[in-house]
Structures are given as structure tokens and as C-alpha cells.
């Protein structure tokens, strides 16, 4: 059984795009390397249809296991909501269709969960098709268990996707993928359909059809439209005043089915199913670094916009390609360099406080004999041996 985890604690009730960035969403990758190298398009037959009674019974079992675990910790039980279960189910289905274990911001931004002040999401996979396997994994993982036992959580959604045990592209032996979305609401607020049991509740409510405000309607400039996920994010982050008018329509055919659209002020929005839509600023050093490494074919797709205000006047932007996470950092002293946060060197750098600890990278990773090394601005060099697989730090 393998997993990935996404969790945020934030006290704002209606997070906008910048709040999502500031929430510092964490992703824990299993040592077994569950995350696949690239999202794939699973065959529709990979998702197995089960009866409503089987689905309800399994969801009820998972709810009871979670609340028994919370009770053992002296915590109040959580309640079940069919509406937020729709969010969890959509994400669980997506994982099987794309044959990946990763996260989007859907569980935070979907209007069915509006009003939360505490939020989390966890995934797990069973190769035997057993709900108990999911719970065993979550309880055995410190970060996942923290989501299950968060005192502020009051309502959960449960998504269960049954698979055929041999996915079309990767041949993964998945038989059950589970997603739990957890929410804490102030003063007893939250979804109106909360209940203490799953019972024979109807299938999770489908996503509501969005009614975007006028500012998110498609705009046309010189015959070019801005719409869809790129359009919503474009308007939310400032529209033409920040990015300029579109210089062309969306262009698809990118890695993993992504699309892009360029704008007059040298910003390009990239969208993929796993990351959503975010802009890259090609006026700056971070954008130029991204371009120098073959755009989305090198670092993958942006998962944040460019974030400024770091120590020493620095900035960063995060990119994801499959299970590889690259953080491009810039400071006036060091220029733009990249830390592979999903690798051994990047993990060591993060655990030491990132740019506040070892400092900003002054090199990318580079080979030195049988080692890979990276140097940082506070005088530290992090080493990794391709022979022993050990990493260490010198100064």
C-alpha cells in the first residue's frame, strides 16, 4: 500500500490564490516511490463499478475506523458529509484516471466546502481492495495521522475508487484508492448535510456548475479569448493590468496534456490537470531559468506563482513534473538556481530551514566523481553519494 499526503492549516475562511500559496501545502512522498513519473491516461475499464450498498458499507467502515482512532486519542468524532464527499470522490477518481498519487487545490477551493478554517487531504492505495489497508497506512504515517487526529477537524468527505488491479499504462496493481478530505468549521458552521453515519445516503453530490462573476467571463482581445482554468486564474491574479492582453489562444499538446497561453507583458500561463493554472514571468530570472531548462519538459508545470518577500529580498517558484519537485530560487546575491526538493539534497536543505538555514543555492546540483553536490550561500555544501546513497553536509 502506498500513499501521498497533502495538508494545510489556515485560518482564513475564503482562501484566494495568494492564500493558497501562503498556506505552504506539504507533500510527503513515500520511500517506496509510489508517485509515478508521469500522469497517464487510464482506460475507462480501470475503474470498477460497485453497488451502492458496497460503497456505503465501505465508507461507513472507514468513518467508524477514523472515529475509533480519534476516540482512542481523546478526540471528538468527525461527521460525514455527502457534499464534501463529492470533492473527495472526484479527486480519488482523478488519481486512478491519471495513474498518479498527487494533490490539487480542489479540496480547498471547491465551493461545497466553503467556510472552513482548517483543512486537510490524504490519499492511500490498497492492493487488496480493503478499506482497513488505507487506515493502517494513514495511522502509520506521522503526517497522515496528524490529519486524522487534528482536534479542529469536524467534518470529512470520503472518496473510494475501485480499480481492476492492472492500470492501463503503469500496470499498477491498485484495487482501491481512498481519499479523505477533512474540514474544521467555526461555530458549528459547515455543510448542511452533515450526519453521524453514512447510512444509505445517496451518492456524493456532484460538483455545482460554476457561475463565474463577470470578471471571469471570457474576454477577447485582438480575436484571442481567455477562458477556462487559465482564464479564472488570470482574472483572479489581476488580469490585463498585471499580465497584459492575450497574444494568442490557448495552445495544447504539451507534456501530460497541458496547455499554455501567452500574454503581452511576457507572462505565460501554464495549466495541467495535476497543477491547475499558474503564470511564469519571463521578464525575470526565475522565468528565464525555467526556459533554459526546456520549460515544462524540464521542470514540469508551475504549482505556485512567483513568490517574493523571502529573507534577503529573495523570491521562488515551485514546479512539478511527475514526482519531481523543483524549487527555483532567486536572490540578489545568488541569481536564479534550482533546488530539487524531492531529491536527497533538497530534502536535507529543507530540513535545515531552507534559505533561512543553509541559505540560497549558489549552484545547481552538479557531479563530482561519484557524488552529486550542491553549494549554498551560507557556506554549506550538501553531498550525495551515488554508490552508498548517503548524504552529508560540509562547511
Amino acid at each position: 500500500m502506498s500513499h501521498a499526503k497533502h495538508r494545510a492549516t489556515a485560518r482564513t475562511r475564503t482562501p484566494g490564490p495568494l492564500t493558497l500559496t501562503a498556506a505552504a501545502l506539504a507533500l510527503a512522498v513515500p520511500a517506496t516511490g509510489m508517485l509515478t513519473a508521469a500522469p497517464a491516461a487510464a482506460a475507462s475499464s480501470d475503474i470498477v463499478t460497485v453497488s451502492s450498498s458496497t460503497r456505503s458499507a465501505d465508507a461507513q467502515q472507514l468513518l467508524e475506523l477514523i472515529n475509533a482512532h480519534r476516540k482512542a486519542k481523546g478526540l471528538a468524532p468527525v461527521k460525514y458529509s455527502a457534499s464534501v464527499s463529492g470533492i473527495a470522490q472526484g479527486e480519488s477518481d482523478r488519481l486512478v484516471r491519471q495513474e498518479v498519487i498527487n494533490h490539487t487545490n480542489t479540496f480547498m477551493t471547491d465551493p461545497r466546502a466553503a467556510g472552513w478554517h482548517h483543512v486537510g487531504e490524504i490519499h492511500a492505495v490498497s492492493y487488496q481492495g480493503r478499506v482497513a489497508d488505507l487506515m493502517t497506512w494513514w495511522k502509520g504515517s506521522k503526517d497522515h495521522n496528524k490529519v486524522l487526529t487534528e482536534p479542529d477537524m469536524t467534518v470529512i468527505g470520503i472518496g473510494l475508487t475501485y480499480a481492476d488491479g492492472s492500470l492501463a499504462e503503469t500496470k499498477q496493481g491498485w484495487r482501491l484508492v481512498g481519499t479523505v478530505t477533512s474540514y474544521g468549521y467555526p461555530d458549528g458552521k459547515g455543510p448542511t448535510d452533515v450526519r453521524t453515519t453514512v447510512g444509505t445516503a445517496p451518492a456524493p453530490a456532484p460538483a455545482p456548475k460554476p457561475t463565474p462573476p463577470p470578471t471571469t467571463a471570457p474576454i477577447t482581445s485582438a480575436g484571442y479569448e481567455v477562458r477556462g482554468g487559465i482564464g479564472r486564474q488570470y482574472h483572479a491574479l489581476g488580469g490585463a493590468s498585471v499580465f497584459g492582453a492575450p497574444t494568442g489562444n490557448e495552445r495544447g499538446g504539451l507534456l501530460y496534456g497541458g496547455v499554455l497561453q501567452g500574454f503581452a507583458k511576457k507572462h505565460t500561463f501554464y495549466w495541467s490537470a495535476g497543477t491547475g493554472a499558474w503564470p511564469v514571468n519571463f521578464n525575470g530570472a526565475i522565468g528565464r531559468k525555467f526556459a533554459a531548462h526546456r520549460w515544462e519538459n524540464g521542470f514540469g508545470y508551475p504549482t505556485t506563482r512567483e513568490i517574493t518577500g523571502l529573507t534577503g529580498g529573495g523570491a521562488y517558484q515551485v514546479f512539478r513534473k511527475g514526482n519531481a519537485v523543483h524549487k527555483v530560487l532567486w536572490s540578489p546575491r545568488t541569481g536564479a538556481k534550482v533546488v530539487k526538493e524531492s531529491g536527497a539534497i533538497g530534502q536535507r536543505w529543507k530540513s535545515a530551514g531552507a534559505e533561512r538555514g543553509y541559505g540560497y543555492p549558489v549552484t545547481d546540483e552538479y557531479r563530482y566523481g561519484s557524488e552529486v553536490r550542491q553549494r549554498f550561500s551560507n557556506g554549506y555544501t550538501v553531498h550525495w553519494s551515488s554508490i552508498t546513497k548517503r548524504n552529508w553536509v560540509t562547511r
Side-chain angles (χ1 to χ4, degrees), residues 80-387:
Y80 171 87
S81 164
S83 58
V84 299
S85 289
I87 303 170
Q89 189 63 50
E91 286 299 284
S92 187
D93 289 347
R94 178 186 65 80
L95 300 181
V96 176
R97 288 196 304 268
Q98 296 181 356
E99 304 189 21
V100 297
I101 296 295
N102 62 15
H103 298 268
T104 69
N105 290 334
T106 300
F107 72 104
M108 302 181 73
T109 60
D110 193 293
R112 288 171 287 181
W116 55 263
H117 68 83
H118 219 77
V119 64
E121 179 185 77
I122 51 178
H123 303 308
V125 171
S126 169
Y127 290 88
Q128 290 76 40
R130 298 183 303 215
V131 169
D133 292 343
L134 311 180
M135 193 66 186
T136 297
W137 177 263
W138 289 329
K139 287 169 64 176
S141 165
K142 179 181 177 181
D143 289 333
H144 295 71
N145 188 53
K146 191 172 182 180
V147 175
L148 294 176
T149 58
E150 172 56 59
D152 287 342
M153 297 302 189
T154 57
V155 177
I156 66 169
I158 295 174
L160 298 172
T161 303
Y162 302 82
D164 61 8
S166 181
L167 300 188
E169 296 293 332
T170 62
K171 306 305 178 185
Q172 293 278 4
W174 301 359
R175 293 196 177 275
L176 178 62
V177 174
T179 295
V180 171
T181 52
S182 300
Y183 301 93
Y185 292 95
D187 306 322
K189 297 181 180 179
T192 58
D193 63 350
V194 294
R195 53 198 299 168
T196 57
T197 64
V198 175
T200 55
K209 292 183 178 180
T211 306
T215 55
T216 63
I219 67 167
T220 301
S221 177
Y224 303 127
E225 282 193 340
V226 186
R227 58 187 178 182
I230 287 178
R232 287 189 292 273
Q233 191 74 301
Y234 169 78
H235 289 296
L237 297 180
S241 64
V242 176
F243 306 108
T247 57
N249 289 321
E250 285 187 2
R251 178 170 67 84
L254 276 63
L255 183 73
Y256 307 157
V259 298
L260 63 79
Q261 189 168 15
F263 295 87
K265 294 185 179 180
K266 295 192 70 174
H267 288 75
T268 296
F269 274 78
Y270 289 82
W271 175 93
S272 77
T275 58
W278 295 100
V280 175
N281 177 12
F282 288 104
N283 293 298
I286 289 177
R288 291 192 293 270
K289 184 76 170 178
F290 172 71
H293 284 257
R294 301 174 52 245
W295 300 277
E296 75 281 357
N297 298 297
F299 292 159
Y301 290 93
T303 63
T304 68
R305 67 179 301 179
E306 190 171 307
I307 307 300
T308 60
L310 275 64
T311 181
Y316 75 88
Q317 188 165 14
V318 179
F319 301 86
R320 178 178 296 279
K321 182 182 179 183
N323 64 341
V325 179
H326 293 90
K327 188 173 192 176
V328 181
L329 296 105
W330 173 91
S331 78
R333 290 177 52 205
T334 60
K337 302 293 187 295
V338 61
V339 174
K340 187 176 181 181
E341 289 194 316
S342 53
I345 289 176
Q347 291 173 10
R348 186 72 174 252
W349 173 77
K350 285 176 62 178
S351 68
E355 72 277 358
R356 297 175 303 278
Y358 292 164
Y360 289 93
V362 297
T363 68
D364 295 336
E365 290 188 0
Y366 61 93
R367 297 287 307 193
Y368 188 88
S370 62
E371 294 179 22
V372 177
R373 296 179 177 181
Q374 188 164 16
R375 294 190 291 112
F376 297 91
S377 60
N378 288 343
Y380 296 88
T381 298
V382 182
H383 308 249
W384 177 82
S385 169
S386 61
I387 297 174

